[in-house]
mmCIF file of all heavy atoms in Angstrom:
data_model
loop_
_atom_site.group_PDB
_atom_site.id
_atom_site.type_symbol
_atom_site.label_atom_id
_atom_site.label_comp_id
_atom_site.label_asym_id
_atom_site.label_seq_id
_atom_site.Cartn_x
_atom_site.Cartn_y
_atom_site.Cartn_z
ATOM 1 N N ARG A 209 26.628 -62.600 251.800
ATOM 2 C CA ARG A 209 25.338 -62.629 252.544
ATOM 3 C C ARG A 209 24.342 -63.512 251.761
ATOM 4 O O ARG A 209 24.016 -63.183 250.607
ATOM 5 C CB ARG A 209 24.832 -61.212 252.630
ATOM 6 C CG ARG A 209 25.609 -60.350 253.616
ATOM 7 C CD ARG A 209 24.942 -59.046 253.935
ATOM 8 N NE ARG A 209 25.023 -58.187 252.706
ATOM 9 C CZ ARG A 209 24.114 -57.388 252.298
ATOM 10 N NH1 ARG A 209 22.866 -57.301 252.862
ATOM 11 N NH2 ARG A 209 24.179 -56.613 251.157
ATOM 12 N N VAL A 210 24.073 -64.616 252.307
ATOM 13 C CA VAL A 210 23.058 -65.541 251.695
ATOM 14 C C VAL A 210 21.660 -65.229 252.222
ATOM 15 O O VAL A 210 21.261 -65.477 253.373
ATOM 16 C CB VAL A 210 23.456 -67.000 251.924
ATOM 17 C CG1 VAL A 210 22.404 -67.936 251.261
ATOM 18 C CG2 VAL A 210 24.807 -67.289 251.395
ATOM 19 N N HIS A 211 20.882 -64.578 251.287
ATOM 20 C CA HIS A 211 19.479 -64.261 251.689
ATOM 21 C C HIS A 211 18.444 -65.299 251.368
ATOM 22 O O HIS A 211 17.287 -65.179 251.763
ATOM 23 C CB HIS A 211 19.082 -62.873 251.010
ATOM 24 C CG HIS A 211 19.713 -61.717 251.799
ATOM 25 N ND1 HIS A 211 19.315 -60.475 251.552
ATOM 26 C CD2 HIS A 211 20.539 -61.697 252.803
ATOM 27 C CE1 HIS A 211 19.945 -59.616 252.396
ATOM 28 N NE2 HIS A 211 20.679 -60.370 253.172
ATOM 29 N N GLY A 212 18.871 -66.271 250.499
ATOM 30 C CA GLY A 212 17.858 -67.171 250.165
ATOM 31 C C GLY A 212 18.435 -68.603 249.792
ATOM 32 O O GLY A 212 19.566 -68.714 249.467
ATOM 33 N N LEU A 213 17.601 -69.593 250.067
ATOM 34 C CA LEU A 213 17.951 -70.923 249.696
ATOM 35 C C LEU A 213 16.932 -71.461 248.600
ATOM 36 O O LEU A 213 15.736 -71.092 248.733
ATOM 37 C CB LEU A 213 18.013 -71.977 250.716
ATOM 38 C CG LEU A 213 19.014 -71.650 251.842
ATOM 39 C CD1 LEU A 213 19.031 -72.836 252.815
ATOM 40 C CD2 LEU A 213 20.481 -71.591 251.257
ATOM 41 N N HIS A 214 17.323 -72.229 247.620
ATOM 42 C CA HIS A 214 16.409 -72.503 246.530
ATOM 43 C C HIS A 214 16.590 -73.982 246.229
ATOM 44 O O HIS A 214 17.653 -74.560 246.217
ATOM 45 C CB HIS A 214 16.750 -71.618 245.271
ATOM 46 C CG HIS A 214 15.959 -72.052 244.006
ATOM 47 N ND1 HIS A 214 16.462 -73.046 243.182
ATOM 48 C CD2 HIS A 214 14.855 -71.556 243.507
ATOM 49 C CE1 HIS A 214 15.510 -73.126 242.089
ATOM 50 N NE2 HIS A 214 14.596 -72.220 242.347
ATOM 51 N N VAL A 215 15.491 -74.630 245.750
ATOM 52 C CA VAL A 215 15.567 -75.975 245.342
ATOM 53 C C VAL A 215 14.397 -76.009 244.161
ATOM 54 O O VAL A 215 13.358 -75.550 244.414
ATOM 55 C CB VAL A 215 15.373 -77.004 246.429
ATOM 56 C CG1 VAL A 215 13.962 -76.939 247.066
ATOM 57 C CG2 VAL A 215 15.660 -78.441 245.940
ATOM 58 N N HIS A 216 14.716 -76.799 243.148
ATOM 59 C CA HIS A 216 13.704 -77.030 242.134
ATOM 60 C C HIS A 216 13.896 -78.460 241.641
ATOM 61 O O HIS A 216 14.891 -78.617 240.957
ATOM 62 C CB HIS A 216 13.798 -76.015 241.019
ATOM 63 C CG HIS A 216 12.847 -76.349 239.950
ATOM 64 N ND1 HIS A 216 11.462 -76.372 239.952
ATOM 65 C CD2 HIS A 216 13.173 -76.649 238.632
ATOM 66 C CE1 HIS A 216 11.010 -76.674 238.803
ATOM 67 N NE2 HIS A 216 11.951 -76.848 237.904
ATOM 68 N N THR A 217 12.975 -79.325 242.109
ATOM 69 C CA THR A 217 13.408 -80.782 241.743
ATOM 70 C C THR A 217 12.688 -81.218 240.436
ATOM 71 O O THR A 217 12.500 -82.402 240.243
ATOM 72 C CB THR A 217 13.004 -81.686 242.898
ATOM 73 O OG1 THR A 217 11.775 -81.265 243.467
ATOM 74 C CG2 THR A 217 14.106 -81.765 243.947
ATOM 75 N N GLY A 218 12.364 -80.275 239.585
ATOM 76 C CA GLY A 218 11.929 -80.663 238.315
ATOM 77 C C GLY A 218 10.386 -80.662 238.141
ATOM 78 O O GLY A 218 9.629 -80.816 239.062
ATOM 79 N N SER A 219 10.080 -80.592 236.916
ATOM 80 C CA SER A 219 8.580 -80.629 236.535
ATOM 81 C C SER A 219 8.039 -82.009 236.666
ATOM 82 O O SER A 219 8.882 -83.034 236.682
ATOM 83 C CB SER A 219 8.404 -80.211 235.139
ATOM 84 O OG SER A 219 8.781 -78.819 235.018
ATOM 85 N N ASP A 220 6.775 -82.080 236.838
ATOM 86 C CA ASP A 220 6.039 -83.377 236.733
ATOM 87 C C ASP A 220 6.491 -84.412 237.778
ATOM 88 O O ASP A 220 7.003 -85.552 237.511
ATOM 89 C CB ASP A 220 6.338 -84.012 235.370
ATOM 90 C CG ASP A 220 5.304 -83.590 234.377
ATOM 91 O OD1 ASP A 220 4.535 -82.651 234.779
ATOM 92 O OD2 ASP A 220 5.260 -84.089 233.250
ATOM 93 N N ILE A 221 6.472 -83.949 239.036
ATOM 94 C CA ILE A 221 6.903 -84.897 240.133
ATOM 95 C C ILE A 221 5.794 -85.960 240.272
ATOM 96 O O ILE A 221 4.679 -85.647 240.619
ATOM 97 C CB ILE A 221 7.121 -84.088 241.407
ATOM 98 C CG1 ILE A 221 8.283 -83.209 241.372
ATOM 99 C CG2 ILE A 221 7.287 -85.038 242.581
ATOM 100 C CD1 ILE A 221 8.557 -82.389 242.564
ATOM 101 N N LEU A 222 6.233 -87.135 240.028
ATOM 102 C CA LEU A 222 5.151 -88.223 240.103
ATOM 103 C C LEU A 222 5.248 -88.896 241.450
ATOM 104 O O LEU A 222 4.333 -89.429 242.000
ATOM 105 C CB LEU A 222 5.328 -89.340 239.026
ATOM 106 C CG LEU A 222 5.158 -88.849 237.565
ATOM 107 C CD1 LEU A 222 5.491 -89.901 236.589
ATOM 108 C CD2 LEU A 222 3.772 -88.360 237.476
ATOM 109 N N ASP A 223 6.434 -88.822 242.138
ATOM 110 C CA ASP A 223 6.679 -89.340 243.471
ATOM 111 C C ASP A 223 6.284 -88.411 244.461
ATOM 112 O O ASP A 223 6.906 -87.369 244.590
ATOM 113 C CB ASP A 223 8.127 -89.800 243.545
ATOM 114 C CG ASP A 223 8.417 -90.236 244.943
ATOM 115 O OD1 ASP A 223 7.533 -90.334 245.788
ATOM 116 O OD2 ASP A 223 9.643 -90.503 245.149
ATOM 117 N N ALA A 224 5.186 -88.677 245.104
ATOM 118 C CA ALA A 224 4.667 -87.755 246.000
ATOM 119 C C ALA A 224 5.569 -87.243 247.105
ATOM 120 O O ALA A 224 5.565 -86.186 247.630
ATOM 121 C CB ALA A 224 3.370 -88.330 246.693
ATOM 122 N N ARG A 225 6.572 -88.120 247.437
ATOM 123 C CA ARG A 225 7.545 -87.890 248.532
ATOM 124 C C ARG A 225 8.495 -86.841 248.178
ATOM 125 O O ARG A 225 9.047 -86.167 249.107
ATOM 126 C CB ARG A 225 8.158 -89.121 248.930
ATOM 127 C CG ARG A 225 7.237 -90.176 249.527
ATOM 128 C CD ARG A 225 7.937 -91.375 249.879
ATOM 129 N NE ARG A 225 7.106 -92.290 250.569
ATOM 130 C CZ ARG A 225 7.518 -93.425 251.198
ATOM 131 N NH1 ARG A 225 8.831 -93.636 251.161
ATOM 132 N NH2 ARG A 225 6.629 -94.097 251.791
ATOM 133 N N SER A 226 8.813 -86.734 246.944
ATOM 134 C CA SER A 226 9.989 -85.981 246.615
ATOM 135 C C SER A 226 9.732 -84.475 247.002
ATOM 136 O O SER A 226 10.705 -83.836 247.420
ATOM 137 C CB SER A 226 10.297 -86.009 245.153
ATOM 138 O OG SER A 226 9.204 -85.869 244.312
ATOM 139 N N TYR A 227 8.548 -84.006 246.956
ATOM 140 C CA TYR A 227 8.353 -82.591 247.321
ATOM 141 C C TYR A 227 8.518 -82.294 248.704
ATOM 142 O O TYR A 227 9.330 -81.415 249.044
ATOM 143 C CB TYR A 227 6.902 -82.112 246.964
ATOM 144 C CG TYR A 227 6.873 -80.639 246.693
ATOM 145 C CD1 TYR A 227 7.073 -80.081 245.389
ATOM 146 C CD2 TYR A 227 6.763 -79.727 247.752
ATOM 147 C CE1 TYR A 227 7.121 -78.793 245.187
ATOM 148 C CE2 TYR A 227 6.868 -78.339 247.598
ATOM 149 C CZ TYR A 227 6.965 -77.858 246.230
ATOM 150 O OH TYR A 227 7.071 -76.555 246.055
ATOM 151 N N SER A 228 8.014 -83.079 249.636
ATOM 152 C CA SER A 228 8.193 -82.943 251.044
ATOM 153 C C SER A 228 9.673 -83.290 251.475
ATOM 154 O O SER A 228 10.211 -82.625 252.347
ATOM 155 C CB SER A 228 7.165 -83.725 251.847
ATOM 156 O OG SER A 228 7.309 -85.111 251.486
ATOM 157 N N GLN A 229 10.212 -84.184 250.774
ATOM 158 C CA GLN A 229 11.612 -84.561 251.095
ATOM 159 C C GLN A 229 12.578 -83.386 250.777
ATOM 160 O O GLN A 229 13.372 -83.057 251.587
ATOM 161 C CB GLN A 229 12.063 -85.722 250.230
ATOM 162 C CG GLN A 229 11.608 -87.038 250.825
ATOM 163 C CD GLN A 229 12.150 -88.186 250.033
ATOM 164 O OE1 GLN A 229 12.816 -88.133 249.009
ATOM 165 N NE2 GLN A 229 11.803 -89.376 250.411
ATOM 166 N N SER A 230 12.377 -82.811 249.599
ATOM 167 C CA SER A 230 13.344 -81.685 249.359
ATOM 168 C C SER A 230 12.963 -80.434 250.220
ATOM 169 O O SER A 230 13.883 -79.784 250.617
ATOM 170 C CB SER A 230 13.302 -81.337 247.821
ATOM 171 O OG SER A 230 12.055 -81.048 247.413
ATOM 172 N N ALA A 231 11.705 -80.274 250.529
ATOM 173 C CA ALA A 231 11.363 -79.199 251.409
ATOM 174 C C ALA A 231 12.061 -79.413 252.801
ATOM 175 O O ALA A 231 12.609 -78.408 253.443
ATOM 176 C CB ALA A 231 9.863 -79.135 251.584
ATOM 177 N N ALA A 232 12.011 -80.611 253.244
ATOM 178 C CA ALA A 232 12.549 -80.859 254.624
ATOM 179 C C ALA A 232 14.021 -80.712 254.596
ATOM 180 O O ALA A 232 14.609 -80.197 255.605
ATOM 181 C CB ALA A 232 12.211 -82.376 255.002
ATOM 182 N N ILE A 233 14.633 -81.119 253.537
ATOM 183 C CA ILE A 233 16.154 -80.970 253.412
ATOM 184 C C ILE A 233 16.488 -79.477 253.444
ATOM 185 O O ILE A 233 17.492 -79.112 254.124
ATOM 186 C CB ILE A 233 16.616 -81.623 252.207
ATOM 187 C CG1 ILE A 233 16.565 -83.228 252.332
ATOM 188 C CG2 ILE A 233 17.991 -81.240 251.893
ATOM 189 C CD1 ILE A 233 16.922 -84.009 251.013
ATOM 190 N N LEU A 234 15.729 -78.755 252.781
ATOM 191 C CA LEU A 234 16.031 -77.280 252.764
ATOM 192 C C LEU A 234 15.779 -76.570 254.057
ATOM 193 O O LEU A 234 16.546 -75.754 254.499
ATOM 194 C CB LEU A 234 15.088 -76.642 251.692
ATOM 195 C CG LEU A 234 15.844 -75.530 250.851
ATOM 196 C CD1 LEU A 234 16.958 -76.259 250.058
ATOM 197 C CD2 LEU A 234 14.913 -74.858 249.836
#
Side-chain angles (χ1 to χ4, degrees):
R209 286 185 291 142
V210 179
H211 279 189
L213 297 185
H214 174 274
V215 67
H216 170 65
T217 39
S219 292
D220 275 7
I221 293 180
L222 293 178
D223 174 2
R225 295 178 172 191
S226 47
Y227 206 91
S228 54
Q229 281 181 356
S230 55
I233 289 172
L234 222 60

